[in-house]
Amino acid sequence: MFNEFQKQCEKLAGKVEIPPKGIDADLAAPCFEAAKKEGRSPVEIAKELEAKFKKLPNLIQKIEAKGPYLNFYINYDEFSKLVIDEISRRGDKYGSADKKKTVVIEYSSPNIAKPLTIGHLSTTIMGQALNNIYTFLGYKVISDNHLGDWGTQFGKLIYAYKTWGDKAKVEKNPIEELLELYVKFHREAETNEKLNDEARAWFKRLEDGDKEAKEIWEWFVEVSLREFDRMYRVLGVKFDHSIGESFYMPMLKDIIQETLKKKVSKEENGAIIATFDDMPTALVQKSDGATLYLTRDLATIKYQKKEFRFWKRLYVVGSEQRLHFRQVFRMAELLGYIKEGECVHVDVGQISLPTGRISTRKGNVVFMEDVVNKTIEMAKETLKKKNPDLKNSDEVAKAVAIGAIKYSNLSRDRVRDMKFDWNEILSFEGDTGPYLQYTYARANSILKKTRSKPSKNPVYEEAVEQSIIKKLSQFSYVLERSAEENKPNLIANYIFELATLFNEFYHTHKVIGSDDEAKRIALIKSVMQVIENGLDLLGVSVLDEM
Ligand code: ARG
């Protein structure tokens, strides 16, 4: 509904904007441009506009010239009931849109035979959230898990498995065993140069389609995916496709030729490289003929542009790969696969744990699963203390823990690094998942007590009620911006502000038994719906009780 109000303002005064905090207007039209055009002062223009409109459209209560701005104020008598009505009518679709364009979103993209680590946690969660947001806005989303299933490391792994491996052990505990074999290979190779030759030979056999090598590799892929899927299920993460890097192998020869022909790359000392004015050189093919991660990314773009005809392709990947993607995207543009801006690196900062808080398993990495399990355990303890009589407490604890992890990741500016601190993210106070879930549950407890039907024609006079109405009306505006900037944190921050306003209202206003019960119930229901819609996009579930 806020955009209806905005449209009415724009019809009167052209471009309007949301004024900065501290200015009490709901929208403001800066008069600088008109002033420049007419060679007059903006203050004068604002004054003139203020006097010009005698009869205002229904959503505008008043207009007021303030310096070089024309300020607009919402007519809450009309506005409130429209907002409440729209939310109750559209329910869990409130805020959604119908954009239709195709967006490919790539996220998680772990490497086969390696664990999902705490590093994958943020990209996986962020990617799924963007998938949810774009889908809600009516984009046709195609999600892709770009599995790292190719590369010389598989030669090492096959060799290590054939030399030291145990099939039953790998079946039972695939990632941990394979990681151990990999670590062992590197340890042994330090004193035995021959091992690297053996590994290269195995990788060559794999590339040449040797039956045994291929079977072992396929098995690595299969057991790894089984493990990944377990985590994805816990986190509510889904993909339409999981196209591994190996899929693009048959296309690489032609792509490399194309880069040469189009002078995007050149030969140097037997290798093929691409040079740039403003970036370091990129390797397209090694001198021994081996292809590379970057080349497979070029093939991915060419293939998917043709196959999916995407409007945009988003790469939700850690910021340490920033240079890689700049190089890939530039080359793809020069090759004519895409236009500038069609591929976007949605870069995500790193997460670090407070040292000593969790033991690292083999290979000195922090497993995502360990972090998640520890969070669930801690949530169980917290809930036991806070609400010993809670029904389904294990399930609730899981929802609180997963919600806390996701919310903490999604509420920060994604490019900034994050410190993962259990006490902080599980706190019931402050900008946390549990705080929002608790706010929702508290609102729900009022609904359970009321006998009133929500009012259909509410008029709100109190400032905090009006602020809540305005916030509610801005939901879709926030969603659009969050998609534009690929920043789920805008939604998280919005829900937090809404919840804060609601709690302010809750602490200062009586609902049950007050004269205003029916209209306050309408407000509470709307707040709950919007919190639910917003948290749902972040993958955080709401709880009726906690
Ligand atoms: N598998 C890679 C890694 O774990 C990430 C892949 C990112 N995506 C891409 N299209 N290059 O480092």
Side-chain angles (χ1 to χ4, degrees):
M1 201 41 61
F2 194 79
N3 46 352
E4 295 304 321
F5 168 66
Q6 182 174 346
K7 268 186 219 149
Q8 293 191 352
C9 299
E10 275 168 348
K11 221 165 163 192
L12 299 187
K15 220 173 144 46
V16 291
E17 47 195 50
I18 295 186
K21 281 208 173 79
I23 301 213
D24 77 332
D26 297 311
L27 280 174
C31 300
F32 303 102
E33 253 175 59
K36 213 167 160 195
K37 238 191 250 154
E38 296 176 31
R40 293 174 12 192
S41 109
V43 177
E44 212 178 293
I45 299 217
K47 273 241 141 42
E48 196 176 284
L49 284 171
E50 181 195 55
K52 185 168 156 195
F53 303 108
K54 292 281 174 303
K55 202 171 163 311
L56 294 172
N58 66 335
L59 297 181
I60 304 176
Q61 191 225 337
K62 61 170 181 182
I63 53 179
E64 212 169 68
K66 203 89 202 233
Y69 291 91
L70 184 66
N71 286 347
F72 295 88
Y73 296 84
I74 292 174
N75 174 17
Y76 282 100
D77 288 357
E78 278 288 313
F79 191 69
S80 305
K81 66 168 192 259
L82 293 172
V83 173
I84 297 282
D85 176 63
E86 189 185 353
I87 296 171
S88 90
R89 216 169 9 87
R90 299 198 66 201
D92 59 8
K93 295 275 176 322
Y94 177 70
S96 67
D98 194 16
K99 303 277 186 194
K100 298 218 167 64
K101 290 179 179 137
T102 300
V103 181
V104 175
I105 309 182
E106 186 214 295
Y107 49 98
S108 202
S109 307
N111 296 325
I112 293 298
K114 295 259 180 74
L116 286 170
T117 66
I118 186 162
H120 294 102
L121 192 60
S122 18
T123 55
T124 304
I125 289 172
M126 181 76 56
Q128 185 62 48
L130 289 170
N131 183 344
N132 302 342
I133 295 164
Y134 276 89
T135 303
F136 196 63
L137 289 175
Y139 289 94
K140 181 172 182 292
V141 175
I142 299 172
S143 53
D144 181 26
N145 192 0
H146 188 77
L147 296 167
D149 64 354
W150 206 254
T152 49
Q153 72 268 29
F154 289 98
K156 297 176 185 170
L157 256 183
I158 294 175
Y159 174 81
Y161 172 70
K162 297 244 344 147
T163 316
W164 307 296
D166 175 334
K167 184 159 179 145
K169 269 185 165 172
V170 176
E171 277 289 352
K172 195 155 161 260
N173 214 346
I175 303 281
E176 222 164 311
E177 285 303 322
L178 292 176
L179 182 61
E180 182 165 276
L181 287 171
Y182 191 67
V183 171
K184 180 165 174 137
F185 178 91
H186 279 274
R187 212 170 37 228
E188 301 283 326
E190 264 171 37
T191 52
N192 185 356
E193 242 310 296
K194 263 190 25 220
L195 255 57
N196 282 314
D197 298 332
E198 299 273 3
R200 253 191 297 277
W202 270 108
F203 185 59
K204 179 96 180 48
R205 284 176 67 177
L206 182 61
E207 287 207 294
D208 294 343
D210 171 84
K211 189 159 171 276
E212 185 184 7
K214 214 169 151 229
E215 267 171 18
I216 299 177
W217 171 80
E218 275 169 354
W219 178 60
F220 289 165
V221 173
E222 187 196 309
V223 293
S224 302
L225 285 181
R226 220 189 295 147
E227 294 261 303
F228 297 160
D229 281 342
R230 199 175 63 227
M231 278 324 290
Y232 292 149
R233 233 172 294 134
V234 173
L235 293 174
V237 169
K238 288 194 183 118
F239 303 97
D240 299 313
H241 300 276
S242 294
I243 312 177
E245 292 183 32
S246 63
F247 175 82
Y248 303 99
M249 288 308 293
M251 306 167 204
L252 298 188
K253 229 185 169 152
D254 289 348
I255 297 231
I256 293 167
Q257 284 313 311
E258 194 180 347
T259 63
L260 285 168
K261 213 175 78 205
K262 293 188 175 161
K263 301 214 166 15
V264 174
S265 70
K266 61 183 179 212
E267 256 184 274
E268 202 174 276
N269 303 328
I272 298 174
I273 59 168
T275 56
F276 310 91
D277 292 338
D278 52 350
M279 286 185 278
T281 299
L283 201 50
V284 178
Q285 180 180 293
K286 284 200 215 167
S287 51
D288 64 3
T291 61
L292 292 151
Y293 177 57
L294 174 134
T295 323
R296 295 192 280 276
D297 260 324
L298 283 177
T300 306
I301 294 177
K302 184 174 188 185
Y303 172 81
Q304 294 199 356
K305 182 74 188 177
K306 195 160 158 250
E307 191 68 18
F308 300 139
R309 300 179 179 279
F310 58 76
W311 168 67
K312 280 215 165 119
R313 190 182 196 284
L314 310 183
Y315 295 71
V316 188
V317 181
S319 46
E320 68 281 358
Q321 298 202 28
R322 207 172 281 165
L323 172 64
H324 166 75
F325 286 118
R326 277 181 59 209
Q327 291 171 327
V328 171
F329 298 166
R330 177 80 58 80
M331 290 175 76
E333 285 158 25
L334 292 171
L335 288 163
Y337 300 165
I338 49 164
K339 290 201 223 33
E340 205 184 326
E342 288 182 345
C343 282
V344 181
H345 177 200
V346 178
D347 59 353
V348 180
Q350 280 173 3
I351 313 191
S352 59
L353 290 170
T355 41
R357 289 299 295 274
I358 201 160
S359 61
T360 53
R361 289 202 228 168
K362 284 148 197 147
N364 218 18
V365 288
V366 179
F367 280 51
M368 185 195 285
E369 190 167 28
D370 292 346
V371 174
V372 170
N373 287 344
K374 180 173 170 143
T375 314
I376 295 175
E377 285 315 311
M378 287 187 69
K380 277 186 190 159
E381 272 167 44
T382 313
L383 283 172
K384 224 180 269 161
K385 274 190 227 136
K386 280 204 188 287
N387 188 354
D389 307 323
L390 186 65
K391 280 174 265 146
N392 306 326
S393 61
D394 276 4
E395 244 162 76
V396 175
K398 222 171 165 181
V400 169
I402 302 296
I405 292 173
K406 289 185 180 171
Y407 188 81
S408 61
N409 265 284
L410 297 172
S411 57
R412 66 177 163 130
D413 190 341
R414 64 176 154 71
V415 289
R416 298 227 325 253
D417 292 349
M418 171 193 174
K419 274 225 156 48
F420 189 92
D421 182 320
W422 277 279
N423 293 326
E424 213 173 277
I425 71 165
L426 281 169
S427 165
F428 276 48
E429 274 143 56
D431 190 4
T432 67
Y435 168 76
L436 297 175
Q437 287 170 319
Y438 189 65
T439 302
Y440 182 92
R442 169 187 270 167
N444 191 50
S445 72
I446 307 175
L447 282 196
K448 275 198 267 180
K449 287 191 209 114
T450 186
R451 297 238 169 118
S452 300
K453 279 218 154 62
S455 147
K456 286 224 151 59
N457 248 321
V459 174
Y460 299 104
E461 274 122 30
E462 307 259 344
V464 63
E465 293 173 325
Q466 295 185 348
S467 307
I468 291 174
I469 289 289
K470 179 161 101 177
K471 253 285 161 287
L472 292 171
S473 77
Q474 290 171 334
F475 186 50
S476 62
Y477 174 85
V478 173
L479 296 188
E480 301 226 347
R481 268 192 40 227
S482 128
E484 251 162 52
E485 297 176 32
N486 297 310
K487 284 186 170 174
N489 67 313
L490 298 181
I491 299 175
N493 301 156
Y494 166 88
I495 309 169
F496 176 64
E497 285 164 14
L498 175 62
T500 305
L501 281 174
F502 174 75
N503 282 318
E504 189 186 325
F505 163 79
Y506 173 88
H507 287 301
T508 49
H509 292 75
K510 198 172 152 185
V511 179
I512 305 294
S514 91
D515 290 346
D516 294 325
E517 184 165 331
K519 73 180 196 194
R520 291 196 172 147
I521 291 297
L523 190 68
I524 292 170
K525 277 195 113 164
S526 305
V527 168
M528 286 173 69
Q529 183 72 65
V530 174
I531 291 181
E532 181 176 356
N533 290 9
L535 285 182
D536 194 46
L537 294 175
L538 305 183
V540 178
S541 33
V542 292
L543 298 161
D544 288 343
E545 202 188 331
M546 69 187 274

